[in-house]
Amino acid sequence: MNFLGYLVLGGMAYVAGWLARTKILDKKPAPKVPYRLTHPVILSYLGGFFVIMLVVSFLIGRFILGHLAPDFMFIIINSLAATFVFSFGINPEKPTYNIPD
């Protein structure tokens, strides 16, 4: 994959995290313990996204990059990087950073 491919994949991971936060987590009633990256619900979303990215990375390696055998280093590193970017999108603490207008 080239730089543009990774940029698009990272953008899609960020948007997926942002959509999970705004469309799913913000619609639920407020939890007793505020959402943080160590909250069990957030960790379950991160784990689920990591598993999804394992499958997506395998498919990218197989059909786009043409790897005949599974390239485990590519699959794991790509999934970890996408999950890291996903965590920025799902991070509920981000709106409280007091960004200047």
Side-chain angles (χ1 to χ4, degrees):
M1 285 179 58
N2 57 13
F3 179 73
L4 182 61
Y6 282 113
L7 192 63
V8 169
L9 185 64
M12 291 183 347
Y14 180 82
V15 168
W18 179 79
L19 285 174
R21 180 173 43 95
T22 58
K23 301 294 183 189
I24 298 172
L25 294 177
D26 288 347
K27 303 287 184 192
K28 291 182 178 179
K32 295 178 183 176
V33 178
Y35 288 128
R36 302 275 187 257
L37 284 179
T38 57
H39 194 279
V41 172
I42 300 294
L43 289 176
S44 67
Y45 277 97
L46 289 174
F49 187 78
F50 179 73
V51 170
I52 290 170
M53 280 309 300
L54 286 173
V55 173
V56 169
S57 296
F58 171 75
L59 294 174
I60 288 172
R62 178 72 176 167
F63 295 110
I64 294 176
L65 299 177
H67 299 159
L68 298 178
D71 185 1
F72 291 111
M73 288 304 289
F74 170 77
I75 293 170
I76 292 170
I77 299 296
N78 196 41
S79 300
L80 284 173
T83 304
F84 180 72
V85 173
F86 177 80
S87 72
F88 283 107
I90 201 167
N91 188 358
E93 299 170 10
K94 198 169 193 173
T96 62
Y97 284 164
N98 296 330
I99 299 172
D101 291 333

